[in-house]
Amino acid sequence: MAEEQPGGSPRADGDGRGDEFEFHTGTIRPSREPDAIEFIEVHKSFGRNHVLRGLNMALPENSISMIIGPSGTGKSVCIKHIVGLLYPDEGDVIVHGKSIPSLSDAELFEARKKFGVLFQDGALFGSLTLWDNIAFPLRQHTEKSEEEIAEIVNRRMREVGLGGEGAKMPNELSGGMRKRAGFARSLVLDPEIVLFDEPDSGLDPVRTALLCELIKEVHAENGGCYVVITHDILSARRVGQHISVLWKGRIVESGPADELFESENPFVRQFLSGASAGPLGME
Amino acid sequence: MVRTAAERAFIPARHVLEEFGDMMILTARTIWSALRPPYPYGGELVSQFLFALRLCWFPLLVSTVCLCYAAPGLQAANFLTLFGALDRLGGFFVLGAIREIGPNVTAIVLAGVAGTAITADLGARKIREELDALQVLGVDPVKNLVVPRFLALMVVTGLFDIYALLFGIFGGILAELVNGQPLGPFWATLFANASTTDLWGSVLKTTIYGAIIAIVCCYKGMSASGGAEGVGRAVNEAVVLAFTAIFAFDYVFTQTLLATHPAILVIK
Ligand SMILES: Nc1ncnc2c1ncn2[C@@H]1O[C@H](COP(=O)(O)OP(=O)(O)OP(=O)(O)O)[C@@H](O)[C@H]1O
Ligand SMILES: [Mg+2]
């Protein structure tokens, strides 16, 4: 999607509120990189809850993309579509040119090896120690010896400030520590596509800043498509190279970070400045 | 008005049918993944087996002895005393304890003790997104979590049936002794009526009960949603559904067994 695109699809949602998408210009400002992940007209409902409503989103290769948007708009649902845990009701999700919903189980298994995912709540395995949790992907997917595994795991744990906590069980950790452990686990395989669901929530400001630095460092080292969901505009400013603003299951606007921070769109302006006055209320 | 009433009846009915279909699919996938290599579930199978054994042996012992002593033991003994036919209690035990009470008490205890533990465990993992994380890391939850629980519960329930039969008969002996009867006639009528069909029928039935409990409880756990409260709801639904399914299956199985093996209908 290299050219400027007009607004979202004219598809009627049947809920009669015509101006619901008045701020959704759907402008996709061209980025300098090819797309690693594309959502094409994706619709997804849970019962009566129509979460994704014709989502068109492109996340570029070799950059750190931020997905930001109000709580409950379907950001986590997006991540689950990318890794094939949820299937779209309509539309397609394309990762590196392959349509994820149409992969067979075996192909999906292969495709998932290139993902590193940090789930919103860390998703550590409760029956394993912290150390075994972080070593799990290496044991599962590689033939590395225990010494090599130990070296990688110890390095990642030190990076996220959990060195020496390896013997603890996940339920003995604080929420922020679980988050950091999940973060370390998502990176041990040096994946090509990394999906972080709110890596910075539940962390103190200093740790958040350090984590942002770490994301940039790891990305500079490995490259690839990094997708970060966040509510923290400061983090978005610090690490974001590409930003997609999601609201009501569609893109309001997306593009390179510097351009988006200059956007004229009232919703984008409100959201990126965290102002209480603007199109978004508590509803 | 009519439409909403119809919808109100229709939506839960459709939900029940969908759930039944999903469980059938889960059963098929479980059997298929159990048979197809690789077999990574050995360790989990042993630990689930020991877990069920540890949790259930005592509740089951108490339940079978007490129930068999009270229901066919004391009650039937009272009735048989009327005819001066207390020696027939052994024969009645074949019908009551071996064919019905043993298997059903085993199933109730296993569903209530081990089944709920499975639902709560898998439900908590679902809520914490552990199951999602496993899948993304290339671990199939059906093969690695459902299959070992399915096999372990089948084996444990089948074995526990024999254990329940032994303690059930012990309850009968207690009833005889309380009534001041010699045990000879009890054994005589017991063995006159018991056939190998009774024994294998009983074990086969409970083994299938184990499969039903495992599928229902795993399914409910893995489809839990809505936080900690959702796990509680899943456990509750799992127990209700498992009991219903067990008793429904009991009817079908008993009917089929009696029809195909008419010899066991004859009471000696
Ligand atoms: N498995 C599911 N079943 C039913 N509804 C779901 C499921 N997953 C998400 N939803 C619904 O989809 C909507 C979007 O959820 P999602 O978790 O993607 O929000 P989010 O944008 O990540 O919000 P937050 O920033 O608070 O994490 C919510 O209304 C939620 O209730
Ligand atoms: Mg979320």
Side-chain angles (χ1 to χ4, degrees), chain A residues 76 120 197-198:
Chain A
S76 302
Q120 192 157 0
D197 198 345
E198 303 190 14

Side-chain angles (χ1 to χ4, degrees), chain A residues 66-87:
Chain A
M66 317 294 285
I67 300 178
I68 60 180
S71 197
T73 37
K75 301 184 296 296
S76 302
V77 170
C78 278
I79 282 206
K80 291 189 179 165
H81 276 85
I82 298 173
V83 293
L85 287 171
L86 290 176
Y87 290 96

